[in-house]
């Protein structure tokens, strides 16, 4: 079953083309990393997929339907989004923020779900802490727990959903980065579709079975990590010279960038 | 040293237990009891003092032998309507502040502070001047006209403010406060212009009304503005959770299933309706909308499903207490209620501003 179907997607703001004719399909249960240099259109792509912005041209279908055609409440039961830098102005506690993932649903089951999610991100002891007093990485983990609650609610109602992550590991330390990768893989194993913007190419290779490379609003490459994260792609898209090696006993590439190339433009 | 380390979490745990208790089933009984006490006090004190033991009789709840006709008249046609209107307006001021703070994700937002009250006041003052000319000084305007005009003025102001302060995905707190300041100044200038061109009679009407007094309350006026408060209370189950999620940002609220545009429209109409109704009757009364929700958040947390009704009750308590003070401390003269709330609220706001400085990015 196709979870995400993007066909000739274009997004324009004024005269500027942020995305230009991007097409790809993601099957239910697949794990996809989106990589590309700054300004390549990664965040715009995620915003178009989540339904936050409407395409200027082409179509986006989530489970067969345009995000704008779903009621927000119904859409939220089918896809969950973890954004970067979410700030909480009011003194909500960590557990209150995690419970928000359930929207207006309340009750013992939701409470238990929220407790479990907070424990899963290694923050059980932070239950009653005001979220604004936590470190950036801890806040990010609280928000991940919130998204886990939302996914669980959706899964109960309509089966496995779609998880969209915008640089989920940006403020996490190494161990929690790997934890997050492990959780994302667990979700995928249970049938959830995961699509994540990832800056760290090694993490992308570790996390995803498929990598989509964006460059200047267009699709530059799409395939398994071993075929997309290559010396050639890195030189062409990121303008860096690098040594791409292979992790022993795995088909997984790793990247050691060593020199920025001169911009051809 | 170990004591100092341990006292943090223990104090925090005790604090959270107290918070859980107060935020739990005790919250509304406590607030309503306090309101009842203030109501009884407000019934007893005033120009014509009525001893506490005569109040039940005057209300027809006990043997009428103990009451005097004068007590009855004072209570039923002067004091009780005034108490009722203080309750309704206090509740509306506090609730509209709480909704506005949620909508703009800004604990410093208050309709009076950012020009929404002034916008309503300008519309009302315009109505007084134009109405006076049109009716040819013969009949006073029907009271219902003023709240409608003030509602319209407040609605337009809130919509402009929302436009100015929201750029793309973010709402700038600094721009919000400064734009509100500019709007308030503009509306103030408009009112000044009206005062300048008004004739004596219209001038008296404008001045009397701008001073902000709850005097002249009647049951008719109470029944005219109470529906606005009722509309808010009815809306709480529909907007409360949405305002909670909106605290994470408009995009996040949408991701979690909130119809954000609809939530914003409902909130703006409620803010404008309650502020407009309050302004039409009591003039510009500031700071109740900031002080009340802030105090409550400290005790019961920021969740709007409780914060909104609790703000309404605490706002009623505070404004009724303030009005009772306003009509007794300088009796037989009355201190304008807006002056009293500003005297208490402005220093409170300054303290809040200093504590929030980092957050506001100012």
């Amino acid at each position: 079953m196709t979870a995400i179907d993007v066909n000739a997607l274009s997004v324009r703001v004024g005269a500027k083309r942020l995305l230009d004719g991007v097409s790809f399909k993601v099957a239910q249960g697949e794990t996809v990393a989106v990589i590309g240099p700054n300004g390549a259109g990664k965040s715009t792509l995620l915003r178009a997929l989540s339904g936050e912005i409407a395409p200027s041209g082409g179509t986006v279908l989530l489970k067969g339907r345009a995000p704008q055609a779903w009621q927000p409440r119904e859409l939220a039961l089918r896809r969950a989004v973890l954004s970067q830098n979410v700030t909480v102005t009011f003194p909500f506690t960590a557990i209150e923020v995690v419970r928000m993932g359930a929207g207006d649903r309340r009750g013992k089951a939701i409470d238990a779900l929220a407790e479990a999610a907070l424990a899963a991100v290694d923050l059980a002891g932070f239950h009653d802490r005001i979220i604004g007093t936590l470190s950036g990485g801890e806040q990010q983990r609280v928000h991940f727990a919130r998204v886990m609650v939302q996914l669980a609610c959706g899964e109960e109602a309509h089966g496995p959903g779609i998880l969209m992550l915008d640089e989920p590991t940006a403020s996490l330390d190494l161990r929690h980065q790997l934890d997050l990768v492990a959780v994302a893989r667990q979700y995928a194993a249970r049938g959830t579709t995961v699509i994540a913007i990832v800056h760290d190419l090694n993490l992308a290779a570790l996390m995803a079975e498929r990598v989509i490379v964006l460059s200047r609003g267009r699709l530059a490459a799409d395939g398994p990590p071993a075929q997309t994260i290559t010396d050639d792609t890195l030189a062409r898209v990121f303008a860096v010279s690098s040594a791409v090696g292979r992790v022993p006993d795995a088909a997984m590439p790793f990247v050691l960038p060593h020199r920025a190339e001169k911009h051809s433009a | 040293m170990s004591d100092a380390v341990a006292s943090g979490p223990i104090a925090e745990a005790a604090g959270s237990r107290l918070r859980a208790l107060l935020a739990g089933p005790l919250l509304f009984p406590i607030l309503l009891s306090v309101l009842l006490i203030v109501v009884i006090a407000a019934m007893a004190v005033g120009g014509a003092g009525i001893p506490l033991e005569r109040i039940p009789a005057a209300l027809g709840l006990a043997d009428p032998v103990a009451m005097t006709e004068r007590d009855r008249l004072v209570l039923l046609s002067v004091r009780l309507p005034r108490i009722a209107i203080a309750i309704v307006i206090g509740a509306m001021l506090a609730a509209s502040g709480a909704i506005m703070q949620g909508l703009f994700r800004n604990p410093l937002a208050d309709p009076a502070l950012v020009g929404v009250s002034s916008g309503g006041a300008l519309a009302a003052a315009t109505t007084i001047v134009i109405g006076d000319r049109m009716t040819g000084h013969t009949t006073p305007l029907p009271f219902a006209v003023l709240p409608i005009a003030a509602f319209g003025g407040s609605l337009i102001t809130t919509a402009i403010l929302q436009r100015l302060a929201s750029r793309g995905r973010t709402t700038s707190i600094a721009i919000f406060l400064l734009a509100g300041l500019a709007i308030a100044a503009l509306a103030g200038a408009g009112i000044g212009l009206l005062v300048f061109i008004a004739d004596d009679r219209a001038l008296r009407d404008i001045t009397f009304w701008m001073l902000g007094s709850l005097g002249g309350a009647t049951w008719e006026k109470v029944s005219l503005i109470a529906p606005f408060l009722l509309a808010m209370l009815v809306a709480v189950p529909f907007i409360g959770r949405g305002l909670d999620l909106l605290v994470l940002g408009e995009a996040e609220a949408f991701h979690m299933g909130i119809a954000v545009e609809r939530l914003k429209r409902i909130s703006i109409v409620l803010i404008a309706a309650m502020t407009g109704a309050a302004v039409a009757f009591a003039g510009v009364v500031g700071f109740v909308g900031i002080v009340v929700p802030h105090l409550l958040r400290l005790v019961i947390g920021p969740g709007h499903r409780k914060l909104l009704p609790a703000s309404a009750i605490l706002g009623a308590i505070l404004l009724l207490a303030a009005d009772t003070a306003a009509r007794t401390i300088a009796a037989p003269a009355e201190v304008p209620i807006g002056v009293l709330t500003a005297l208490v609220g402005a220093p409170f706001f300054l303290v809040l501003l200093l504590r929030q400085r980092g957050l506001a990015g100012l």
Side-chain angles (χ1 to χ4, degrees), chain B residues 86-345:
Chain B
I87 287 174
V88 174
I89 288 181
M92 293 199 300
L93 289 173
S96 55
I99 295 177
M100 190 169 218
Q101 287 145 26
L103 181 64
F104 289 98
R105 276 165 281 150
N106 180 349
L108 302 178
D110 173 57
L113 198 70
V114 294
V116 173
S117 302
S118 310
L122 176 62
T126 311
T127 313
I128 291 176
V129 172
I130 293 175
D132 205 58
R133 300 238 157 131
M134 275 171 51
T135 56
H137 302 218
T138 47
T139 45
L141 281 173
F143 177 76
V145 174
L146 274 192
I148 293 169
F151 167 58
S154 297
L155 189 66
I156 292 170
T157 321
T158 318
I160 292 175
L161 202 58
Q162 161 85 28
R163 272 286 167 83
L164 288 177
S166 308
R167 283 263 167 93
R169 305 172 73 192
T170 56
T171 303
S172 158
I173 291 178
I175 290 184
F176 171 78
L177 287 177
L178 293 174
L181 206 69
I183 290 175
L186 205 61
I191 294 173
L193 202 64
L194 285 173
V195 167
F196 180 68
I197 61 168
D199 57 24
D200 282 352
R201 191 191 131 115
L203 188 62
R204 202 179 59 233
D205 284 351
I206 292 176
T207 317
F208 176 75
W209 159 79
M210 270 194 346
L211 273 176
S213 163
L214 300 182
T218 62
W219 286 116
E220 190 198 353
K221 290 175 181 176
V222 174
S223 66
L224 211 60
I225 63 169
F228 292 104
L229 177 61
L230 221 61
M232 188 280 294
L233 292 174
V234 169
V236 168
F238 301 99
I239 64 167
R241 193 56 176 161
L243 288 174
D244 286 353
L245 303 193
L246 200 60
V247 167
L248 304 197
E250 285 184 21
E252 273 59 44
F254 167 68
H255 293 156
M256 290 183 282
I258 300 299
V260 173
E261 289 306 317
R262 194 180 63 193
L263 172 68
K264 280 159 66 179
R265 275 200 299 275
I266 295 173
S267 302
I268 286 177
V269 168
L270 281 175
I271 292 167
M274 291 195 289
T275 306
V279 163
F281 191 83
V284 178
V285 178
F287 298 106
V288 177
I290 286 189
V291 174
V292 169
H294 184 79
L295 288 178
L296 280 170
R297 269 189 216 102
L298 291 177
V299 181
I300 66 170
H304 288 85
R305 285 181 293 210
K306 271 190 183 145
L307 184 66
L308 295 183
S311 289
I313 303 174
L314 189 58
I317 293 169
L318 279 192
L319 200 70
L320 180 56
D323 182 54
T324 307
R327 63 186 169 81
T328 47
I329 49 179
E334 276 190 23
V335 182
I337 181 92
V339 173
L340 255 192
T341 60
L343 270 178
V344 179

Side-chain angles (χ1 to χ4, degrees), chain A residues 21-37:
Chain A
V22 173
S23 300
F24 61 89
K25 285 182 184 176
V26 180
Q28 188 64 42
E30 216 176 344
T31 318
V32 180
V34 180
I35 64 171

Side-chain angles (χ1 to χ4, degrees), chain B residues 22-90:
Chain B
L22 285 173
L26 283 184
L27 173 67
F28 289 103
I30 290 177
L31 283 173
L32 288 171
S33 312
V34 175
L35 180 61
L36 188 69
I37 292 168
V38 179
V39 166
I40 292 170
M43 283 180 2
V45 302
I50 304 174
L52 280 178
E53 63 269 19
R54 273 198 264 161
I55 283 175
L59 293 174
L61 298 175
D63 187 0
V65 178
M67 73 161 191
T68 67
E69 197 49 40
R70 193 206 61 156
D71 290 350
R72 203 181 152 76
L73 200 69
V74 166
L75 262 187
L76 292 188
S77 46
V78 181
R79 222 163 270 172
L80 277 178
R82 182 158 183 166
I83 288 170
I85 214 137
I87 287 174
V88 174
I89 288 181

Side-chain angles (χ1 to χ4, degrees), chain A residues 4-265:
Chain A
I4 303 172
D5 186 347
V6 178
N7 189 17
L9 170 66
S10 295
V11 175
R12 278 187 300 272
V13 173
K16 206 167 172 225
R17 277 173 184 273
L18 301 179
L19 285 177
D20 192 6
V22 173
S23 300
F24 61 89
K25 285 182 184 176
V26 180
Q28 188 64 42
E30 216 176 344
T31 318
V32 180
V34 180
I35 64 171
N38 295 338
K42 303 184 296 292
S43 290
T44 307
L45 175 64
L46 208 69
R47 290 175 66 195
L49 293 182
S50 71
E52 213 183 308
I53 51 174
S56 318
T59 54
V60 171
L61 299 178
L62 295 185
K63 305 209 167 193
R65 216 161 150 187
Q68 283 76 19
W70 294 103
Q71 288 293 320
R73 199 185 143 87
E74 285 300 310
L75 185 60
L77 289 173
R78 289 167 175 85
R79 66 96 184 88
V81 187
L82 179 64
S83 312
Q84 286 190 78
N85 305 323
V86 178
T87 51
V88 183
T89 336
F90 289 106
F92 282 103
T93 59
I95 193 72
E96 284 170 339
V97 172
V98 175
R99 266 193 227 118
M100 287 182 186
D104 51 13
R105 285 170 289 272
R106 284 192 274 188
K108 287 233 161 28
I110 299 293
D111 289 347
L113 211 55
E115 302 286 349
L118 200 58
V121 296
D122 209 9
L123 287 177
F126 289 63
H127 199 271
D128 289 326
R129 290 276 297 276
I130 304 293
I131 183 156
T133 65
L134 304 183
S135 78
E138 287 162 353
Q139 291 192 24
Q140 181 73 355
R141 278 146 62 199
V142 170
H143 289 300
F144 190 58
R146 163 173 66 80
V147 168
M148 288 167 76
V149 168
Q150 186 180 342
L151 277 177
C153 289
E155 196 169 326
E156 194 183 306
H158 303 289
I162 304 168
L163 171 59
M164 302 180 181
L165 306 165
D166 189 355
E167 291 192 34
T169 57
S171 47
L172 300 186
D173 58 42
L174 197 54
R175 210 204 97 200
H176 289 108
Q177 288 186 13
L178 293 175
D179 279 355
L180 191 133
V181 168
V183 173
R185 283 185 156 264
Q186 279 166 22
Y187 271 112
R190 295 210 318 255
T192 301
T193 305
V194 180
I195 183 162
I197 295 177
V198 184
H199 253 302
D200 184 330
L201 301 181
N202 292 316
L203 211 62
L206 191 65
M207 181 175 182
E209 53 199 8
R210 176 176 163 198
V211 175
I212 287 176
V213 187
L214 285 182
S215 174
R216 295 178 189 176
R218 289 168 177 274
L219 200 72
D222 179 357
Q227 289 166 29
T228 43
I229 301 179
T230 58
D231 293 340
D232 174 56
T233 315
L234 297 186
R236 195 160 47 88
V237 174
F238 289 88
V240 290
S241 295
S242 47
V244 176
R246 285 273 177 276
V247 174
D249 304 328
M252 210 175 70
F254 69 85
V255 180
L256 185 67
H258 52 78
R259 183 163 47 81
E261 290 186 348
K262 287 207 175 75
H263 286 282
S264 51

